[in-house]
Amino acid sequence: MTSPRLPRRGLLAAGPVVLGLGALAACTDGGSSSSSDAGGAQGGTLTIFSTSEDMSFDPATSQSLAITSLGLTARRLTAWKTSADAPTELIPDLATDTGTPSDDGRTWTFTLQDGLTFEDGTAITAATVKYGLERSFAKELTGGLTYHKVLLEGGEDYEGPFSGKHLDSIEAKDETTLVFHLNRPYGAFGWIASTPAFAPVPEDSGEPESYATKPVASGPYRVASYKAGSQVVLERNEKWDSSTDQARTGGPDSIEFALAQDSSVVAQSLIADRSDAQDAFLASFVPAAQLVQAQNDPKVGDRLVTSGPGALEYLAMNTQSEALKDVKVRTAIQYAVDKEAYRTAKGGEISGDYATTLITPGIEGREEYSLYGDAPAGDAEKAKSLLAEAGVKDLSLRLVITEDDTAAAEAIQQGLARAGITVTIQPLDENAYTSEVPAGDGSGYDLVLGSWQPDVPSPDANLTPLFDSSQIGGGNYNLARYSNPEVDKALLDASSTVDADEAAAKWAAVDKQILQDSPLVPLIYSKNSFLHGSGVKDFVIGEFPAYPNYLTVTLG
């Protein structure tokens, strides 16, 4: 389990952020051009430094974003087109379009492009996409995203294809036509079809557990060698046809993942632009000390790419705590929090923009608003007034954090102290945190710091995991333990709306509806910084997600 302060992702998924590389969230405000016209060329070997000791190329178990590691070897029905200065666009990948809804959004049809093949030359068919998706239900394979599992008819009872059973709600009508039957209307299924499980897998792909290191590639690269704790080498898949792929440029001839790396050591090599780091980038964020160094080194220049506003960092208030059941008390905390001090503790302006909404930047349906004033330092007097109205004196709260989050917690503590609220900070190790907060009964904490980066640029992936009452406990991420039947109904209604403009208006309304109840305080939309060598071109972080697009990086 990753730190609770790192961005979480995944509707109904109890797993952490996984890129397959150990890299965690960022979003951009800069970087190179988003096309190969920027000067990148075909050829060469790109090195990606990772702090992880291993990787998985199995789409059934992956939470990899559509633009990161798994996307190099595995195509999906749909894909993402990212840009540093425009919203991320849903585009076709294996399919000819982004899906056609019918039956008011309960049925979705996709048609595959003709002539697509795996690395061995066998055909990619509707049946191989169906089988790949069915594998994700198997109890032998765990850890993947669950959006499709809760949407497909019969998914709650299906246990995968390894015993010979198939899921009838995934219909391979012919070689190229797939029809998905959902248990309710769902407007953003085109985005769901870009998640890892929608990659094709041949039915004779071997033992399920071995597929993580020996996948059959549908993307521009195939796994040539895999050494856990050391190196993974991808080589060009000669059967990949660039003319069928809008999402990937297939620039480098090969890509090497250097595993189990020390991010500080790698960052130093990249800052110095050493010969073995010139055609490379660091998958994880630049550590704080090296970030300061890189900012102050003129030789680094635009090789340091800092994202625009991305994941939402927030202070969750346990709405089931006796001390926080009154919305006036929770609203007082909205005003008492010093976001300025919090951002300073996180590293200053480069760490993020101040947050006032729940839907994060770069996602359709987001509207800018501010319910609780525009002063980042807060309004302690307003907070005191609200506490007085609520008849509350000597409010004492327990703030649970992980052990590496003391500075940010102290910033929250000092802000609330100005309003006469006493905060006791309780650091916990990872296992204790998990047991007490996402998996616990909520009795042990009043406040907790969290962060959220959705898997797809849909407001549903932004709001439902954090605020739907079904996401309380059980390892899920409604850390505010917020339960409001009207909000549950509004979330369901918005996600069921197929018309994009109508859905966007509903999402904007439910965003504000939730925040009026003050289940959490939006703190910042985090920014993150990445380093690459001088030989790396087209290193782009779009408006969403807050990660570089691995699929379009070139060398030159």
Side-chain angles (χ1 to χ4, degrees):
M1 183 72 72
T2 57
S3 164
R5 295 295 301 116
L6 294 172
R8 308 282 190 147
R9 307 176 7 249
L11 174 63
L12 304 183
V17 177
V18 179
L19 293 186
L21 307 176
L24 293 161
C27 192
T28 81
D29 190 28
S32 305
S33 165
S34 61
S35 75
S36 57
D37 295 339
Q42 296 289 115
T45 297
L46 170 68
T47 298
I48 301 176
F49 293 110
S50 171
T51 58
S52 295
E53 293 188 356
D54 55 28
M55 298 176 63
S56 173
F57 291 93
D58 190 336
T61 63
S62 176
Q63 294 186 34
S64 177
L65 291 166
I67 58 165
T68 54
S69 54
L70 186 69
L72 295 165
T73 60
R75 298 177 67 176
R76 301 105 188 259
L77 288 179
T78 61
W80 305 352
K81 179 181 179 182
T82 62
S83 170
D85 53 11
T88 294
E89 179 184 350
L90 183 67
I91 58 174
D93 192 357
L94 294 172
T96 58
D97 59 25
T98 57
T100 301
S102 57
D103 189 23
D104 296 324
R106 290 180 176 84
T107 301
W108 284 78
T109 301
F110 295 82
T111 302
L112 299 183
Q113 299 182 65
D114 292 325
L116 301 171
T117 63
F118 290 104
E119 64 175 272
D120 60 2
T122 58
I124 295 172
T125 64
T128 63
V129 177
K130 173 180 169 69
Y131 180 72
L133 197 54
E134 288 177 335
R135 288 178 77 255
S136 69
F137 287 84
K139 60 182 181 295
E140 296 91 339
L141 301 171
T142 60
L145 299 176
T146 60
Y147 296 90
H148 59 287
K149 296 180 184 180
V150 298
L151 287 170
L152 287 166
E153 282 185 353
E156 66 276 9
D157 299 319
Y158 183 60
E159 296 183 350
F162 300 140
S163 61
K165 296 181 179 180
H166 297 283
L167 186 59
D168 292 340
S169 56
I170 308 170
E171 188 179 0
K173 292 183 72 68
D174 53 40
E175 290 291 292
T176 60
T177 307
L178 279 155
V179 181
F180 298 96
H181 301 278
L182 310 186
N183 53 31
R184 68 176 179 89
Y186 193 80
F189 196 73
W191 287 110
I192 303 306
S194 72
T195 57
F198 287 78
V201 176
E203 195 160 349
D204 59 352
S205 55
E207 291 298 317
E209 295 81 2
S210 66
Y211 202 78
T213 58
K214 297 177 180 178
V216 184
S218 53
Y221 299 95
R222 55 178 291 273
V223 177
S225 64
Y226 186 107
K227 296 179 181 178
S230 177
Q231 184 187 61
V232 178
V233 177
L234 305 185
E235 292 181 347
R236 192 175 295 284
N237 171 15
E238 298 297 341
K239 300 298 183 180
W240 172 72
D241 183 355
S242 62
S243 69
T244 69
D245 197 330
Q246 301 179 42
R248 301 161 185 82
T249 57
D253 285 333
S254 60
I255 299 175
E256 296 181 0
F257 292 95
L259 305 179
Q261 300 293 304
D262 184 306
S263 59
S264 296
V265 173
V266 171
Q268 290 285 5
S269 295
L270 289 166
I271 289 170
D273 202 29
R274 293 172 185 158
S275 58
D276 60 349
Q278 289 177 353
D279 290 349
F281 68 84
L282 176 61
S284 54
F285 305 149
V286 182
Q290 284 71 43
L291 179 58
V292 173
Q293 182 182 350
Q295 286 178 289
N296 295 324
D297 189 335
K299 295 191 298 294
V300 173
D302 62 6
R303 294 191 293 108
L304 175 66
V305 184
T306 297
S307 75
L312 174 68
E313 298 189 18
Y314 60 87
L315 176 70
M317 294 176 271
N318 184 350
T319 57
Q320 296 181 5
S321 165
E322 285 297 327
L324 295 171
K325 284 186 175 180
D326 189 334
V327 68
K328 281 190 176 180
V329 174
R330 300 198 300 270
T331 303
I333 292 173
Q334 292 277 4
Y335 284 101
V337 165
D338 186 345
K339 298 179 185 180
E340 193 172 88
Y342 176 87
R343 187 171 78 164
T344 298
K346 296 290 291 184
E349 185 176 355
I350 198 170
S351 68
D353 289 352
Y354 297 120
T356 60
T357 71
L358 303 174
I359 298 175
T360 51
I363 293 182
E364 293 293 333
R366 179 178 185 271
E367 289 184 5
E368 188 71 47
Y369 67 88
S370 180
L371 294 182
Y372 303 109
D374 296 319
D379 186 341
E381 294 307 312
K382 177 71 172 178
K384 290 178 183 177
S385 174
L386 286 166
L387 290 173
E389 289 178 25
V392 173
K393 297 180 180 178
D394 303 321
L395 181 61
S396 295
L397 303 172
R398 180 172 180 249
L399 170 58
V400 170
I401 63 168
T402 51
E403 294 166 329
D404 60 351
D405 221 12
T406 302
E410 289 175 346
I412 298 296
Q413 182 185 53
Q414 92 58 115
L416 299 191
R418 301 175 306 171
I421 302 170
T422 300
V423 173
T424 300
I425 299 171
Q426 177 67 57
L428 299 175
D429 64 28
E430 291 292 336
N431 290 333
Y433 172 89
T434 300
S435 297
E436 186 160 323
V437 182
D441 62 6
S443 61
Y445 69 94
D446 299 303
L447 305 171
V448 63
L449 290 169
S451 183
W452 189 257
Q453 169 75 59
D455 296 285
V456 295
S458 159
D460 186 35
N462 235 167
L463 299 182
T464 298
L466 299 185
F467 302 108
D468 191 279
S469 62
S470 68
Q471 302 303 295
I472 297 172
N476 295 305
Y477 297 117
N478 185 341
L479 305 186
R481 310 189 78 81
Y482 176 66
S483 179
N484 182 331
E486 291 302 314
V487 167
D488 286 349
K489 181 179 178 181
L491 290 169
L492 180 62
D493 180 43
S495 68
S496 300
T497 302
V498 174
D499 181 84
D501 292 337
E502 185 181 351
K506 290 180 178 180
W507 285 119
V510 73
D511 184 327
K512 190 173 294 185
Q513 179 184 3
I514 294 167
L515 202 51
Q516 286 170 339
D517 270 352
S518 289
L520 59 75
V521 181
L523 296 170
I524 63 172
Y525 307 116
S526 60
K527 295 180 180 180
N528 302 283
S529 298
F530 295 85
L531 270 171
H532 64 78
S534 60
V536 173
K537 307 300 179 186
D538 306 321
F539 188 89
V540 177
I541 310 174
E543 289 190 3
F544 181 94
Y547 298 87
N549 189 338
Y550 294 16
L551 312 186
T552 57
V553 171
T554 60
L555 299 171

